[in-house]
Amino acid sequence: MYRILSTTPMESVDGHVDASYTDRTGWAEDMGATILGIMVGDDRCGPFVVLSYVEPSEEQMPLSFAHAHASDNWRISVRGTTNMGRDTYGQGQFRFHDGGVPYASDNFAWGPDGGYGIIMFADRRGFAIRPVKAEIAERITPQQQAAGAFLGIEMRDPCPGAPAIATTMGPTTRSHLDGGFDASDEWDEIVPGVRMAAGIAGEPGCGPVLVFLDCAAGCEAVPAHAIGSETIVAPVSGSVSAAGATLAEGDVRVEESDVEHPALVAGPDGAQLVVIFADRRALLAALNEGTLAGTFGAALSTTLTELQSQLSLARSAS
């Protein structure tokens, strides 16, 4: 069962819940940003997704201290810039990072037009901040453990299975992989006008699947589908229509499990879209049963099989 950690109820309509960076009612203030947490997928080890908003500013958002997360993690700048150590991620650029490996610093997406960011801890059991410096850890660790207990999460460090990242864009190097929609011309064209990249992370058997789609105007990004776990849809640029409703940059939709959801069709300016399938077991079942069919389903089935094989080979060699 999914949980949206809003302080005010967010009602489901026609089998989905819509969130928006422009209407942050019920979001919480934390570490200099306004955030909304979303837990989906497996009740024990499914992903923990955090949407972050930072008020418009010309000045770079302050950086954190050096730390790690026991879970594999992924983040994207939907609007603005995210900093991680010496690396910078602009609009539409993202980073996969191996669980358990520290990085020097980070911040939330920020910029003169405001910052829209998404961070996903692929296995919720390892979402906690793990400071490198002992004196900071002594202060922060009890707070993180209390937060996990409050959310009912079985905290684990090290996180079982991590790191467990595999992508169509290659392996992590020095514990991370950089990607982005600015490189989408290098992705596979699965049907005319639609290019796709993908990645898996988290718990090796039931972790999430991330799909990145760059679609020309009027192209079907995702066909009608019913999946036995939640799906998160987040346009990065352009827009998609779903049964007459429009989703654009700043909109995030949580689709409920076992509901027939309409096709997503790119708008007049095309669409660059992140789709997170919360539990790869449910996605595989939908692909095998034909509830996510057509050319998109066939391409995704082949890709997912290849990623699972890639992950198995990497783990057997380690």
Side-chain angles (χ1 to χ4, degrees):
M1 182 66 182
Y2 68 93
R3 292 175 62 190
I4 299 178
L5 305 178
S6 173
T7 58
T8 58
M10 299 182 67
E11 300 297 333
S12 171
V13 178
D14 296 330
H16 64 262
V17 179
D18 287 339
S20 174
Y21 287 91
T22 59
D23 180 6
R24 299 175 299 280
T25 304
W27 293 34
E29 300 295 324
D30 191 20
M31 297 183 290
T34 307
I35 65 171
L36 179 68
I38 304 170
M39 294 195 291
V40 289
D42 187 86
D43 287 341
R44 182 176 60 92
C45 58
F48 190 170
V49 177
V50 178
L51 313 183
S52 66
Y53 172 80
V54 173
E55 294 286 348
S57 175
E58 296 285 349
E59 296 185 7
Q60 178 180 309
M61 186 179 185
L63 295 168
S64 68
F65 45 81
H67 66 278
H69 301 274
S71 168
D72 299 332
N73 50 90
W74 168 86
R75 65 200 67 203
I76 186 170
S77 297
V78 177
R79 176 182 292 182
T81 300
T82 303
N83 305 97
M84 290 190 71
R86 297 179 180 178
D87 298 320
T88 301
Y89 301 89
Q91 191 268 345
Q93 296 180 323
F94 51 81
R95 173 178 175 132
F96 286 87
H97 195 92
D98 287 338
V101 181
Y103 45 89
S105 60
D106 69 349
N107 58 14
F108 293 107
W110 61 277
D113 297 319
Y116 298 178
I118 303 174
I119 301 175
M120 183 191 72
F121 303 101
D123 184 334
R124 69 187 62 173
R125 296 174 295 177
F127 84 89
I129 296 169
R130 188 172 71 185
V132 170
K133 291 187 176 181
E135 60 270 27
I136 301 177
E138 185 176 359
R139 173 171 52 88
I140 295 294
T141 300
Q143 298 173 5
Q144 295 287 287
Q145 291 174 338
F150 175 78
L151 294 171
I153 297 173
E154 174 200 353
M155 306 288 281
R156 298 291 296 273
D157 187 359
C159 206
I165 294 172
T167 84
T168 59
M169 298 160 282
T172 58
T173 303
R174 295 189 298 276
S175 302
H176 76 278
L177 172 75
D178 295 338
F181 286 92
D182 53 343
S184 62
D185 58 350
E186 301 172 6
W187 301 352
D188 290 338
E189 188 173 36
I190 59 172
V191 296
V194 179
R195 293 188 176 274
M196 181 179 78
I200 57 176
E203 205 285 326
C206 61
V209 178
L210 292 104
V211 176
F212 311 101
L213 298 165
D214 192 336
C215 310
C219 290
E220 185 178 79
V222 181
H225 52 281
I227 299 171
S229 185
E230 297 79 25
T231 302
I232 294 178
V233 178
V236 174
S237 69
S239 64
V240 291
S241 63
T246 298
L247 301 175
E249 177 194 296
D251 297 322
V252 178
R253 173 167 288 188
V254 180
E255 296 181 339
E256 296 177 332
S257 62
D258 297 315
V259 174
E260 182 69 31
H261 296 286
L264 303 173
V265 179
D269 297 320
Q272 294 180 331
L273 189 67
V274 176
V275 182
I276 303 174
F277 296 99
D279 188 328
R280 71 192 67 161
R281 295 170 301 184
L283 176 58
L284 278 169
L287 293 168
N288 292 336
E289 296 165 6
T291 52
L292 183 55
T295 305
F296 175 86
L300 186 52
S301 179
T302 299
T303 297
L304 186 52
T305 299
E306 291 174 352
L307 292 177
Q308 289 285 113
S309 176
Q310 184 185 132
L311 180 60
S312 298
L313 288 172
R315 296 179 70 80
S316 64
S318 62

